[in-house]
Amino acid sequence: MTDAAASRPVAQKVRRPAAGQAAAGRAASPWGFSRSIGRRLTILLAGIAAVLALVSWAMVTSFARAAAERTQDGVLAASALSIAGALGSEQGNIRLELPYSAFAMLDAIGQDRVFYRVATADDTLTGYEDLEVPRLPRTAGEVVTDTIAYRGTTVRVATVTRSVLSGQVPVRIMVSVAQTRSGVDEIAAGLSRSAAALSVGFFLLATGLGWAAARNSLRPLNEIAQAVGRRGPSDLRPVQRDAPGELAPLLAALNRLMERLGASIRRSEDFITEAAHRVRTPLATVRAQAEVALHSAESEEVKATLRRMIRAVDESSRSAGQLLDHATVGFRAETLRAEDLDLAAVIRRVTDGLAPTAEMKDIAFSVSLVPAPMRGDAILLENAVRNVLDNAVKYSPAETVVTVTLERAGSAWRITIRDEGRGFGDAAVPQLVERFRRGANVEKVVGSGLGLTIADEALRAHGGTLTLSPGDNGVGACVTLTLPAA
Amino acid sequence: MCHAHPARRLIAALLLAVLPGVALAQVLEDRRVWPGTGERTIRVISTADIDVFAPFVERIAAERPDLGIDYAVASSAELHRAIAEGASYDLAISSAMDLQFQLANDGLARAHRSDATAGLPGWARWRDLLFAFTAEPAVAVISRARFAGRDRPRNRQDLIALMRTDREAFARAVGTYDVRDSGLGYLFATQEARNSDTYWRLSELMGGLDVQLYCCSAQMIDDVASGRLALAYNVLGSYAMARIARDDRLEILALQDYATVMLRTAFIPASAEDPEGAGAVLDAILRIGMRDDADALPLPPLGAVQGPEATAFGPIRLGPGLLVHLDRLNREAFLAEWSDAMLQ
């Protein structure tokens, strides 16, 4: 249709922000890291939890080992002290009977190998003669523990000293008790395993909580996004919402953008209205002059040229009218001014207005109306009906009838406009109807004309619908306008 | 322990002389080789007599017929010395728990881990080094002939009272281990002395009765059977029961106050040449030790100490406490005290 080209800029202006948003959403880093703040937060929190879990595991492991080692030191010291306590002198000789408990208690930590040595400064009294300790306690009663290598393995050794009379001379006697560390290793390893299991549990819990926290903190953002996303294509009101402090600048920027966008749209609609007015008035003058010339012309050739001229002028004037209508509808639909009106009167005004054009093509109107009171914008409704009826007249061949019916259908008024023209084409009809019902497909509007778009927008502003269907017996087209009754 | 007959010692000595390849430092009391179907032979050194161990060999052969067994009998002290000096045996089995423990503690045992060792109760193994497979009590064996017409003492107090009141009947007729020679005797004596002061009262009484000292359970049992002894104290219960099964001149005194229970232990020496084969034999022995039928073999299973006859002190604990009595000073002190009591 010829008015398709004119409709495009407006439609695209409305669509552009949405397309831009989608493009921004698709721009993602190769890590998928910046794609979602929620994921980023969750990963960061999980990373922190992992580090903390590792640190706590390492700490528990080292504490457990230290505790087990201290326990072993304690047992070794007790063993050495109990042996030292059994030292005595008998008739001037050093006497020692190892207490059973001194060795039996070494079983407490685990099944470890045991070595011991009781010696004076230069003589081993009993035990393992090659068990040498790196340092001795400075005072009696002090216990010195060391880790040393002995017989190819690592042992922990506790040493105490005690002075015993040998003859009349006090002799310093050293008691060392050593034990391998497999029991300590086992205890530490067992506790380390438990700590590892706990750390994994802690990590999983923290990750779960982190995920929940990320979701919770992003909820206001998602809510704003959803609120903006739910809006109709021409709803450019500012977003009024309680936003967290961090989102307030974004919201303010969004509202400023919408305001500028709205102003821009209004300016271009004003421009179109202005342009249409300015074009229509000179066109009317041209048409009148051409009519006059047609009547006075004698040559058939000139007459034909003038008729073509008049048709072209009509076409242009009609397009300009529709652009004007569209701008009007766009503006009025946004801020609907509802008043009591009679739909029948509205239809009557349209048929009366189009009657001269129809007569020129020998097209008759068959109008059947009932009084139909409702609330609405009379100018919008008139625009809607006129555009549909105008299409019907335009596509009807000469000497046919265009039927206009207004009737009550449940809680709605139904206006049916039938013509005997070429219809919508077989296959396209259901699709056309379907698309219109959705009302969001701009490409289809191009295909079926600005007239139907105007009608559709006006009806939807009133909560009504526009339905296209083939005419009876497959001849012509049938357009149904449904409007809720008052 | 030397359960062997003097004639056997002679044979062993001859064997050593004849076979230069077996020129070992230690003195073997007896030796026997059971060939396997394969070429591998596991060299076992043990304190148990050949006829006691033979039934075990049959069961081991049922599991691993490919492995031959070269079985050498030695006293526990000889066994201890052989392993400490690094003789190449694949398996060491002894009734002297303390000496076995010392060898393992000093790093002369090789770790062995298997399903069989994992199945052992905790008290029957020390680390992955030393494993117990029998629980054998020390018992008192009496001669039925010499106890004819007497009430059987029910506990050690009764026994002491009986020997005090009838000193003539028991003079030179009581036998026990010479703990200076016998590792097992020393183990039984030290453990009993640690658990009860009754031991010293009994020892002094036996000393006063001119006690007969023996190196080995088998000889004590022989002398009780012949009537030379009226009573043998701290005899290895497993040997006594095996003997009583075919000799009704003997009887085990059911002393109900306590019993000392020894665990016969085995380990793979660090110097073993075939540790894998030794592990297989050890596992088979441990499985036999965990069997339920107590009577089928001469050596009782581990489960014997958990049965209704379980005794007051339980088995001797496998642990560093065993080292205490091996300490040179402690041993000297104990032997001095023992000699004072026994050799009056």
Side-chain angles (χ1 to χ4, degrees), chain B:
Chain B
M1 216 170 33
C2 37
H3 308 295
H5 201 268
R8 281 185 183 163
R9 290 193 178 177
L10 194 64
I11 294 169
L14 282 174
L15 259 174
L16 283 172
V18 170
L19 301 168
V22 207
L24 300 164
Q26 66 276 7
V27 181
L28 297 183
E29 294 173 358
D30 207 347
R31 185 168 172 227
R32 181 162 167 193
V33 176
W34 285 273
T37 56
E39 291 184 353
R40 286 159 73 187
T41 299
I42 306 304
R43 304 190 62 217
V44 181
I45 183 163
S46 166
T47 57
D49 289 351
I50 285 176
D51 50 348
V52 170
F53 193 73
F56 279 74
V57 174
E58 284 170 31
R59 296 208 181 183
I60 294 163
E63 277 191 35
R64 288 293 295 265
D66 58 316
L67 297 175
I69 291 186
D70 179 348
Y71 188 81
V73 180
S75 74
S76 54
E78 283 299 326
L79 185 151
H80 181 262
R81 198 160 64 84
I83 300 300
E85 285 172 2
S88 61
Y89 286 100
D90 297 314
L91 201 58
I93 302 172
S94 173
S95 52
M97 292 170 72
D98 44 4
L99 293 174
Q100 293 280 87
F101 182 86
Q102 192 180 45
L103 289 172
N105 184 64
D106 290 1
L108 294 162
R110 176 189 284 268
H112 174 63
R113 218 169 273 137
S114 69
D115 290 346
T117 64
L120 282 177
W123 52 263
R125 66 164 192 264
W126 187 71
R127 309 186 71 172
D128 295 317
L129 301 174
L130 190 59
F131 310 98
F133 67 100
T134 69
E136 305 174 42
V139 299
V141 178
I142 57 169
S143 157
R144 285 196 166 163
R146 299 194 58 156
F147 263 74
R150 291 180 197 278
D151 285 339
R152 305 288 188 256
R154 309 283 291 280
N155 52 45
R156 284 166 180 79
Q157 292 298 340
D158 288 356
L159 185 61
I160 288 169
L162 178 67
M163 289 199 287
R164 274 202 181 128
T165 51
D166 199 351
R167 295 182 74 93
E168 272 179 36
F170 290 98
R172 286 175 304 285
V174 177
T176 191
Y177 273 115
D178 186 341
V179 301
R180 296 167 297 184
D181 285 353
S182 163
L184 179 61
Y186 183 72
L187 176 69
F188 279 153
T190 50
Q191 292 296 325
E192 192 176 341
R194 190 171 69 75
N195 284 331
S196 165
D197 65 341
T198 313
Y199 177 75
W200 290 118
R201 287 202 278 142
L202 202 53
S203 296
E204 275 171 19
L205 186 57
M206 288 196 281
L209 292 169
D210 200 0
V211 67
Q212 305 296 301
L213 297 176
Y214 291 79
C215 74
C216 317
S217 279
Q219 289 170 353
M220 269 190 274
I221 294 168
D222 283 346
D223 284 354
V224 174
S226 72
R228 253 196 82 203
L229 292 180
L231 164 76
Y233 187 72
N234 270 359
V235 175
L236 195 51
S238 51
Y239 280 44
M241 279 183 270
R243 182 67 175 272
I244 285 166
R246 55 193 161 81
D247 191 338
D248 63 359
R249 293 174 296 171
L250 300 165
E251 189 179 321
I252 289 177
L253 213 50
L255 298 176
Q256 287 162 357
D257 42 0
Y258 62 85
T260 310
V261 179
M262 169 274 283
L263 301 175
R264 196 177 290 264
T265 54
F267 68 90
I268 302 172
S271 55
E273 282 167 9
D274 186 356
E276 191 278 328
V281 173
L282 177 58
D283 287 349
I285 291 174
L286 295 181
R287 273 192 281 276
I288 298 167
M290 285 184 282
R291 73 194 187 276
D292 293 326
D293 54 330
D295 302 325
L297 292 173
L299 298 180
L302 281 174
V305 289
Q306 292 167 320
E309 317 91 283
T311 49
F313 298 131
I316 297 168
R317 186 164 167 74
L318 260 186
L322 287 170
L323 292 176
V324 170
H325 303 295
L326 291 181
D327 180 78
R328 189 176 57 81
L329 296 178
N330 279 29
R331 185 175 164 86
E332 281 168 11
F334 185 85
L335 289 182
E337 197 172 351
W338 181 86
S339 299
D340 284 351
M342 287 287 190
L343 312 170
Q344 292 164 357

Side-chain angles (χ1 to χ4, degrees), chain A residues 17-226:
Chain A
Q21 226 170 19
R26 273 193 299 275
S29 80
W31 297 90
F33 203 62
S34 69
R35 177 177 289 185
S36 144
I37 296 177
R39 192 178 305 162
R40 189 176 180 154
L41 259 177
T42 307
I43 290 172
L44 283 175
L45 288 173
I48 292 169
V51 169
L52 288 177
L54 267 177
V55 167
S56 74
W57 169 74
M59 282 172 71
V60 170
T61 299
S62 89
F63 288 160
R65 177 144 197 114
E69 286 178 2
R70 283 173 69 171
T71 309
Q72 187 183 34
D73 286 358
V75 173
L76 285 172
S79 173
L81 285 170
S82 108
I83 293 172
L87 280 165
S89 66
E90 203 171 69
Q91 295 160 2
N93 292 320
I94 296 164
R95 186 189 56 81
L96 169 63
E97 193 175 335
L98 291 178
Y100 179 79
S101 59
F103 281 25
M105 72 171 74
L106 295 173
D107 242 358
I109 302 284
Q111 295 189 326
D112 271 297
R113 293 165 62 187
V114 169
F115 309 102
Y116 67 100
R117 181 174 176 227
V118 181
T120 60
D122 36 36
D123 191 22
T124 299
L125 296 178
T126 187
Y128 293 74
E129 293 186 11
D130 53 346
L131 182 66
E132 298 282 351
V133 290
R135 60 200 172 107
L136 289 174
R138 283 185 301 275
T139 59
E142 190 191 350
V143 181
V144 168
T145 46
D146 278 298
T147 305
I148 59 169
Y150 181 68
R151 295 199 177 193
T153 180
T154 305
V155 298
R156 188 77 176 164
V157 58
T159 306
V160 296
T161 57
R162 187 173 170 212
S163 290
V164 176
L165 278 182
S166 172
Q168 300 303 313
V169 191
V171 175
R172 195 173 180 223
I173 296 177
M174 168 198 88
V175 178
S176 297
V177 179
Q179 197 177 26
T180 53
R181 315 207 80 176
S182 60
V184 168
D185 292 342
E186 262 170 50
I187 293 170
L191 285 170
S192 175
R193 274 193 297 277
S194 307
L198 267 176
S199 292
V200 168
F202 169 73
F203 166 72
L204 292 177
L205 181 67
T207 303
L209 290 176
W211 176 78
R215 258 178 77 95
N216 190 47
S217 11
L218 287 174
R219 190 177 299 147
L221 188 62
N222 290 334
E223 280 172 1
I224 290 172
Q226 276 170 9

Side-chain angles (χ1 to χ4, degrees), chain A residues 362-366 396-404 418-421:
Chain A
D362 283 334
I363 292 168
F365 284 142
S366 159
S396 286
E399 295 179 13
T400 55
V401 179
V402 172
T403 316
V404 180
R418 285 191 181 83
D419 63 44
E420 296 168 19

